[in-house]
């Protein structure tokens, strides 16, 4: 890279850091990249750090010493998250979203990358300090949420399939009872998809009784893996917390009531905000 | 926002633009946001533009006049893309990836958000000038590619399902013949998922005979929608181009041969690089 003026270097360093969340970049690497003294790089990083923190974009962790460097931790402030979630709740309360069976149509919102990126940044904030090796979800609707979260946490994604596809090689399958309709269903994961003893963050779009998440937990057990956290976009308030198969999860929104006659719904911020 | 010094403003403007690809931002909006004269904002944008273009990160389109503003178009230079794709090809050639039936295991690569973001940026470069309303894929493995592309193009994603889920409302279903195994399969899309007359970019992970993509095209016909482009990550070279049901597609990599006895494979850059 050609030698840059400070103004250009600030632009370049900003995009470089934003593209590499949760990645330690040594001062030496920056100094080499920009052919600049480490003291100049440190001054630049101080400017970037101040802007990121003032704007609530995240933290710039600086590690001193020979192995020192800088790590960008994307974050979203809780007040900003709450404003965004309240707006999402208002959209989810539209009566035309109520479907037979008390389901809520939200596929259009899951199809908006900008909304997914906001939600992914929230999950990345919530789980920033956990030790996580991989993010897991089950097809289909949780996938964009899992990837958005994974992008900000710099982690790989593993997708549990609802059948056993020929293109995956040998797989582990388990049966589980979906809490919503009490039917026995199957989920499976390729043997090679997950290393044993991995620490796994489970992300999903909708939590009712919890049978699907419990199924993923059972599957993790088969891989000697452990649950590092559970994050769901919307939880159903129809289910009492005590009825759920597990207690420790974070929700961003909560569907408290669906009146099938009037199609009135009520969606409020989830337990993250309580 | 508090008034920033130029150095801080450059950092803030860079992150603001990067987070809003293919979005026109007026100079007035920037001037208000930073409480600065439009002339200062223009100077800042010139610095950012030069860095983005020198580094091959993309273009900053500036529109003059009263309705003027700036739009960030993410790009990846073809030489950079080729280097990345060659590296991906080398990984895909590992013998342990060959599965029964001549399939290639690539789920691990599709699970890496950083690889998906590189590939998404390539597709966003290839289709930057097309008029597109929405990106379509079919579950499951094309989904991360579709979202990564959609993020850079600032477009919504529509996912075609392989069954008709109760949570989607009324849907259009079609039957299609999967080219790989000649079985009749079903795909469906919720009525409300796609507006009529939409211009649709189809993205998928693997192209063999093309039955799945052709199925999506048939489905689009039912919505009076049109195909604005087809992009696939890997195409199979086992199929002659003339045998394919359609001709106009872009591939990033090509699987030219799989020797089931030796498990030797050959993966080369796709037709985008020819």
């Amino acid at each position: 890279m050609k030698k840059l003026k400070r103004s250009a270097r600030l632009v370049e360093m900003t995009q470089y850091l934003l593209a590499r969340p949760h990645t330690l970049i040594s001062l030496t690497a920056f100094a080499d990249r920009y052919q600049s003294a480490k003291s100049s790089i440190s001054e630049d990083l101080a400017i970037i750090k101040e802007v990121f923190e003032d704007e609530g974009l995240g933290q710039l962790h600086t590690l001193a010493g020979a192995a020192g460097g800088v790590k960008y931790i994307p974050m979203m402030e809780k007040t900003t998250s709450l404003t965004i979630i309240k707006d999402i709740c208002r959209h989810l309360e539209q009566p035309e979203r109520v479907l037979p069976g008390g389901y809520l149509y939200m596929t259009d919102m899951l199809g908006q990358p900008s909304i997914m990126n906001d939600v992914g940044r929230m999950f990345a904030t919530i789980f920033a300090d956990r030790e996580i090796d991989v993010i897991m979800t089950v097809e289909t609707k949780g996938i964009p949420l899992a990837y958005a979260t994974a992008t900000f946490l710099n982690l790989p994604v593993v997708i549990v399939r609802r059948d056993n596809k020929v293109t995956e090689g040998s797989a582990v399958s388990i049966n589980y009872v979906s809490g919503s309709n009490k039917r026995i269903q199957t989920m499976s994961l390729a043997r090679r998809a997950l290393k044993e003893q991995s620490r796994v963050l489970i992300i999903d779009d909708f939590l009712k009784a919890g049978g699907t998440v419990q199924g993923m937990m059972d599957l993790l057990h088969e891989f000697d893996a452990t649950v590092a956290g559970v994050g769901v976009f919307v939880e159903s308030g129809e289910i009492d917390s005590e009825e759920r198969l597990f207690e420790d999860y974070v929700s961003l929104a909560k569907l408290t009531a669906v009146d099938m006659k009037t199609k009135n719904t009520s969606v409020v911020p989830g337990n993250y905000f309580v």
Side-chain angles (χ1 to χ4, degrees), chain A residues 81-91 93 267 269 273:
Chain A
S81 301
L82 185 58
T83 305
I84 292 171
I85 285 294
K86 281 185 175 168
D87 190 51
I88 288 172
C89 290
R90 216 160 39 232
H91 276 92
E93 283 178 339
V267 185
F273 300 101

Side-chain angles (χ1 to χ4, degrees), chain A residues 10 20 31 35 41 47 68 82 88 105 130 136 150 160 165 169 171 183-185 209 239 248 255 273:
Chain A
L10 280 168
R20 288 161 186 79
Q35 302 163 54
I41 299 291
I47 294 169
L82 185 58
I88 288 172
Y105 182 78
R130 307 265 179 115
M136 173 181 275
V160 176
K165 291 289 183 194
R183 270 177 38 212
I184 290 179
Q185 297 184 281
I239 309 289
D248 188 17
L255 176 62
F273 300 101

Side-chain angles (χ1 to χ4, degrees), chain A residues 1-18 30 33-34 36 39-52 60:
Chain A
M1 178 178 292
K2 72 177 185 188
K3 193 155 162 60
L4 301 172
K5 284 187 194 165
R6 161 152 284 172
S7 54
R9 199 169 63 217
L10 280 168
V11 171
E12 224 289 327
M13 283 175 79
T14 300
Q15 78 79 21
Y16 191 89
L17 285 163
L18 288 173
F30 268 137
R33 183 174 170 85
Y34 302 115
S36 300
S39 57
S40 307
I41 299 291
S42 290
E43 287 167 30
D44 296 345
L45 288 172
I47 294 169
I48 296 172
K49 183 184 170 80
E50 195 182 336
V51 173
F52 280 19
L60 225 56

Side-chain angles (χ1 to χ4, degrees), chain A residues 230-249:
Chain A
V230 178
V232 297
F233 181 37
V234 180
E235 68 167 312
S236 166
E238 284 177 49
I239 309 289
D240 282 340
S241 310
E242 304 94 74
E243 283 182 62
R244 285 236 170 71
L245 301 158
F246 51 91
E247 286 177 14
D248 188 17
Y249 64 90

Side-chain angles (χ1 to χ4, degrees), chain A residues 165-180:
Chain A
K165 291 289 183 194
V166 66
T167 49
E168 302 285 310
S170 74
V172 179
S173 294
I174 61 147
N175 294 318
Y176 69 103
V177 179
S178 162
S180 317

Side-chain angles (χ1 to χ4, degrees), chain A residues 102-226:
Chain A
Y103 287 97
L104 210 57
Y105 182 78
M106 52 184 206
T107 305
D108 57 330
M109 305 199 73
L110 298 174
Q112 301 287 344
S114 58
I115 298 178
M116 291 302 94
N117 286 336
D118 281 343
V119 172
R121 193 181 269 271
M122 290 179 210
F123 281 135
T125 304
I126 294 166
F127 299 108
D129 295 330
R130 307 265 179 115
E131 266 186 63
I132 305 169
D133 301 308
V134 59
I135 295 181
M136 173 181 275
T137 192
V138 66
E139 59 183 351
T140 300
K141 285 188 277 181
I143 298 175
L145 293 163
Y147 272 87
T149 307
T151 298
F152 289 114
L153 287 175
N154 186 33
L155 290 172
V157 177
V158 159
I159 299 172
V160 176
R161 305 293 295 253
R162 293 195 193 269
D163 50 14
N164 186 3
K165 291 289 183 194
V166 66
T167 49
E168 302 285 310
S170 74
V172 179
S173 294
I174 61 147
N175 294 318
Y176 69 103
V177 179
S178 162
S180 317
N181 55 20
K182 307 284 180 200
R183 270 177 38 212
I184 290 179
Q185 297 184 281
T186 304
M187 59 168 75
S188 60
L189 185 63
R191 260 287 164 220
R192 61 171 102 187
L194 187 65
K195 285 202 194 86
E196 297 216 329
Q197 314 211 331
S198 296
R199 300 178 54 93
V200 180
L201 171 62
I202 294 174
I203 295 286
D204 210 357
D205 62 313
F206 197 78
L207 175 68
K208 218 166 170 178
T212 307
V213 169
Q214 185 60 47
M216 282 192 266
M217 289 175 167
D218 293 346
L219 198 53
L220 288 182
H221 190 72
E222 296 294 316
F223 285 82
D224 274 334
T226 52

